[in-house]
Amino acid sequence: MDGSTSYFDFKNVDWGQMRSATWETIWMTVVSIVAVAILGYFIGLLLFETSGSKSFVVRAINWIVALFVNVFRSIPFIILIVLLLPFTKQVVGTIIGPVAALPSLIISAAPFYGRMVELAFHEIDRGVLEASEAMGASQWQIITKVLLPESLPALISGITVTAISLIGYTAMAGAIGAGGLGNLAYQEGFESSNNTVTLVSTVIIVLIVFAFQFVGDFATKKVDKRVV
């Protein structure tokens, strides 16, 4: 088939392979999101807690963490994958497959989400924090009872945006052998001139993005006290 009709020759699609690739993409995304949410939260918290300090040591910590965040946010993902290949080989024992994609996915997205966490904390009314301190709340209580609840809608919204970026990253990682729909679209679609596989892979990725966006928006509205 030639032209636009080549996109709809569904007999050329191995649906078992498509299901396996879809699961790999979802697995890579979910595992990465969990790790990024945890690491990003602590990065953002560290940036927030060390900002504006008069202590030289604390300011130095803030500068080092901010530098780490800015550097890794600036590196294009496809370059980061190649840069981290030796590290990935040492950590997971391979540079091919879904597991091998995790270090690059997590390291690329955690600083991005960490900066979003920091901004969410800075948007909290200072009066609320000062009132908590005046009432004798400990630092741990302020973090768990004030910072986290007050910023939760923004945190969920931020991890939703990050998750959608990660889905795109998994597709790029697939192009160099990380598995998933990106790998299937590239090897079985592009390299084999099978436009139908490329189209179906694209549609599934779009549906996965829609699903994550829907869940994220729903969760944000549920926890946002400003929404009636």
Side-chain angles (χ1 to χ4, degrees):
M1 288 189 181
D2 297 320
S4 59
T5 56
S6 64
Y7 288 99
F8 304 102
D9 189 15
F10 294 108
K11 68 178 182 294
N12 289 331
V13 178
D14 184 335
W15 294 105
Q17 196 175 29
M18 189 67 70
R19 282 191 296 272
S20 177
T22 300
W23 165 247
E24 287 178 349
T25 294
I26 294 173
W27 182 85
M28 283 189 287
T29 304
V30 171
V31 173
S32 298
I33 288 172
V34 173
V36 166
I38 296 171
L39 289 176
Y41 180 81
F42 284 108
I43 290 173
L45 181 62
L46 187 59
L47 287 170
F48 176 77
E49 291 292 340
T50 57
S51 63
S53 174
K54 295 180 181 179
S55 168
F56 173 78
V57 175
V58 174
R59 281 189 284 122
I61 293 173
N62 181 272
W63 185 85
I64 292 170
V65 176
L67 179 65
F68 166 80
V69 168
N70 292 334
V71 166
F72 281 96
R73 285 175 63 204
S74 304
I75 302 174
F77 180 70
I78 196 69
I79 296 176
L80 183 63
I81 296 176
V82 177
L83 181 66
L84 293 177
L85 283 179
F87 173 76
T88 301
K89 175 72 173 178
Q90 185 175 14
V91 171
V92 301
T94 181
I95 59 173
I96 298 175
V99 175
L102 294 179
S104 298
L105 291 170
I106 294 167
I107 292 173
S108 67
F112 173 75
Y113 183 59
R115 188 64 80 180
M116 298 181 77
V117 171
E118 181 198 11
L119 292 175
F121 289 161
H122 278 298
E123 289 176 359
I124 298 173
D125 188 352
R126 287 297 305 179
V128 176
L129 296 174
E130 290 171 359
S132 300
E133 291 172 355
M135 290 166 48
S138 65
Q139 194 64 32
W140 175 252
Q141 289 174 324
I142 291 174
I143 292 171
T144 57
K145 301 293 179 62
V146 181
L147 284 178
L148 185 56
E150 290 292 327
S151 63
L152 194 55
L155 295 181
I156 295 175
S157 179
I159 199 64
T160 301
V161 172
T162 306
I164 291 170
S165 296
L166 280 169
I167 294 169
Y169 290 165
T170 64
M172 283 188 277
I176 61 170
L181 290 166
N183 180 259
L184 187 67
Y186 182 74
Q187 290 192 343
E188 301 299 326
F190 174 73
E191 289 192 336
S192 302
S193 299
N194 190 338
N195 292 332
T196 308
V197 169
T198 304
L199 175 64
V200 173
S201 299
T202 303
V203 170
I204 294 174
I205 288 174
V206 170
L207 291 175
I208 293 172
V209 168
F210 284 174
F212 274 92
Q213 186 69 64
F214 174 80
V215 172
D217 290 346
F218 178 80
T220 301
K221 289 177 182 177
K222 276 291 185 183
V223 301
D224 195 343
K225 294 178 288 187
R226 297 168 297 178
V227 178
V228 180

